[in-house]
Amino acid sequence: MNTPQKNTHWALVTGASAGIGSEFARELAARGVNLVLSARRLDRLNALADELKAKHAVAIECISADLADPAAARALVEEIHHRGIAIDVLINNAGYGVPGKLTAPAWQEHADFIQVLMTAPVELCYLLLPGMQQRSYGRIVNVASLAGHMPGSAGNTLYGAAKAFLIKFSQSLALENSSRGIHVCALCPGFTRSEFHDVSGARGVVSKMPDFMWMNADVVVRQGLDAVERGDVVYINGRVNRLLRFFGKHLPDRMALKMIQRQSKRFRVQDGK
């Protein structure tokens, strides 16, 4: 195991092998935070770790985990403890989208999605919070989405619902721990340039969105880490996204749903039943 260098804090980043997760790893390493990187693809984690150790004086551990497995979150935390590491910063980033309407995929795809995007983040918080509380220090970023603030869309049926859950969960967790030196933030980016849309099969659809709708992953991450450090409980990246959230919140429900219904085909894969 690597020996920690300048910083005694350790961060766990889930879904760290690509996209926003790898940018969290890069930014945290640049800030001197030691890292536990977790994802399914250990080869990509090791390559990222080599890159970061060459640039920054931080310790890095890589642990393969598939959070779709109901036993994975607890096994991940047990392995971290076995390696003698106490996690002070938790980045619940692992996630993806299931394209199509509700009955298009097999149920197991939805069950795995719920496990990865909802159950696993909550369980990781549940398992790691006691240590943070004992040390009177903790930072938790739950990567949600602008979609969690907007009306539901046709296609990717569970995505907005899961992200809305993360936002409400983060708010409650923040209130419960605000006096204990622990900051919790639901980070809500909009369209972000990363591998996310390739994995979900939506690249061909979302590539038609105008350039001003997009943000770079490194900017999203820097803003998110600054937000949780300030104590922001919910942070929406970008003025355009904050404006969209304003309209989504204040338009009458019927009007907002009609608008999303017309626009869903521009950013959601709707093939299937």
Side-chain angles (χ1 to χ4, degrees), residues 12 14 90-94 120-122 124-125 140-143 166 169:
L12 168 61
T14 67
L90 170 60
I91 310 295
N92 274 318
N93 165 77
V122 175
L124 287 173
C125 290
I140 298 173
V141 177
N142 292 317
V143 179
L166 279 180
F169 168 64

Side-chain angles (χ1 to χ4, degrees), residues 54-74:
K55 295 180 180 178
H56 309 288
V58 294
I60 303 176
E61 296 285 333
C62 298
I63 303 175
S64 176
D66 183 357
L67 293 178
D69 179 353
R74 183 170 291 274

Side-chain angles (χ1 to χ4, degrees), residues 153-190:
S153 63
N156 292 73
T157 316
L158 300 182
Y159 188 78
K163 296 303 187 178
F165 170 85
L166 279 180
I167 294 167
K168 294 299 184 184
F169 168 64
S170 299
Q171 290 172 330
S172 294
L173 205 61
L175 294 178
E176 291 172 3
N177 291 277
S178 61
S179 64
R180 310 188 73 164
I182 298 168
H183 298 177
V184 182
C185 179
L187 179 62
C188 302

Side-chain angles (χ1 to χ4, degrees), residues 2 37 43-56 60 62:
N2 295 316
L37 305 179
D43 57 334
R44 296 192 65 163
L45 293 178
N46 287 332
L48 177 60
D50 290 342
E51 170 197 329
L52 297 180
K53 284 186 286 188
K55 295 180 180 178
H56 309 288
I60 303 176
C62 298

